[in-house]
């Protein structure tokens, strides 16, 4: 169904928008807001656990005296073809939310689920039970699940099987 | 810093893993778990608000009598170059979490922030204040923020400016 051109952008007819031009989105980036000043630790965790690469970081301009490190306004990490953003929770008016974001669920596709789960656990994630065979979901076949130290759940699974429509 | 090859995969040395081969992740997919049976509505909302395209859907095999529609085990939507997964919360043991996931924050890059916000609001999102100029964060320049009917925050902003390191 999806056309080739749509792998890089989605066109939305903006009849109800303030302009008549279509709205095109580049990508969705999950934004993880952690309890300050843990963002720096979280960035390190995502690097170690998932091999994320830090692309950029903007520190909070106001450094509080009690903090050795400046608070992280936002750190952007590349993880596979996706990006995630990690921030310390601050009372800055430009902060995206006023509370810590936890309990989010992410799917991570990999060919080697066992190794990926072991690596994440070695880095400090908590394994959520045994690997299972799951139908449906973001990917198929063997599935592992870990919870990171910031309260988010990462479902690690193989990308192989396509989730085709299944009649109920 | 990021090399070209790393736009399609991240290699993690899995010294602590169960195998010696490196762990490679394809992508991160946010997984939105909504109160059953709202997943079908949520899919429609993300299509209308953000132009998401449904790639696949797996329904729950056990259809409850009181539901006109089968519950959604998972629906995968393409949004720009990213994918998101939407599910009804079920008591199925294979469900990624045991509670509704809300309060997640996502960054959506687009060239036309005003039109994108207007489109999302027309589809049922709630605008979170005026457009502002924000430094840092997932993208730069003009930023709008909307909350979707499922409790998630979408920060809509221009991808233009790079988030380079800024000394505190």
């Amino acid at each position: 169904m999806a056309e080739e051109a749509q792998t890089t952008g989605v066109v939305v007819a903006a009849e109800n928008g303030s302009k008549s031009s279509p709205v095109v989105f580049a990508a969705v980036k999950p934004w993880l807001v952690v309890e300050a000043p843990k963002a720096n630790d979280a960035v390190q965790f995502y690097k170690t656990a998932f091999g994320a690469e830090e692309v950029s970081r903007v520190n909070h301009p106001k450094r509080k005296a009690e903090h050795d490190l400046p608070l992280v306004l936002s750190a952007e990490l590349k993880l596979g073809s996706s990006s995630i953003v990690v921030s310390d929770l601050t009372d800055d008016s430009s902060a995206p939310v006023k509370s810590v974001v936890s309990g989010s669920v992410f799917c991570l596709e990999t060919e080697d689920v066992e190794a990926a789960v072991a690596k994440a656990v070695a880095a400090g994630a908590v394994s959520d039970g045994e690997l299972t065979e799951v139908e449906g979901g973001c990917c198929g076949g063997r599935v592992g699940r870990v919870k990171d130290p910031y309260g988010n759940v990462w479902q690690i699974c193989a990308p192989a099987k396509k989730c085709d429509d299944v009649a109920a």
Side-chain angles (χ1 to χ4, degrees), chain A:
Chain A
M1 200 79 87
E3 291 159 34
E4 193 58 29
Q6 284 156 345
T7 58
T8 52
V10 168
V11 176
V12 185
E15 320 86 60
N16 298 310
S18 58
K19 297 182 181 181
S20 59
S21 58
V23 175
V24 180
F25 293 109
V28 179
K29 298 181 195 172
W31 197 335
L32 306 179
V33 179
V34 306
E35 184 188 345
K38 292 186 180 174
N40 191 60
D41 291 346
V43 167
Q44 189 54 51
F45 170 81
Y46 294 124
K47 286 181 182 176
T48 308
F50 302 134
E53 299 225 344
E54 186 167 341
V55 175
S56 64
R57 182 184 296 214
V58 179
N59 287 324
H60 200 285
K62 292 179 198 153
R63 189 191 295 222
K64 290 184 178 175
E66 68 263 35
H67 296 303
D68 293 326
L69 288 170
L71 295 184
V72 177
L73 210 52
S74 64
E76 182 162 344
L77 307 180
K78 194 139 189 67
L79 214 179
S81 62
S82 306
S83 295
I84 64 174
V85 179
V86 179
S87 295
D88 278 314
L89 179 67
T90 67
D91 51 10
D92 192 290
S93 63
S94 70
V97 286
K98 302 304 175 202
S99 58
V100 168
V101 173
S102 66
S104 295
V105 186
F106 302 104
C107 182
L108 266 183
E109 296 180 1
T110 183
E111 294 292 343
D112 194 340
V113 174
E114 282 87 348
V117 169
K119 181 82 186 165
V121 169
V126 176
S127 175
D128 180 15
E130 298 292 306
L131 300 195
T132 52
E133 295 284 332
V134 169
E135 189 179 1
C138 53
C139 30
R142 218 159 168 68
V143 168
R145 212 173 278 150
V146 299
K147 185 174 263 192
D148 73 27
Y150 311 97
N152 301 297
V153 173
W154 299 78
Q155 173 146 320
I156 298 173
C157 46
K161 298 179 189 170
K162 286 305 281 180
C163 300
D164 294 323
D165 283 6
V166 171

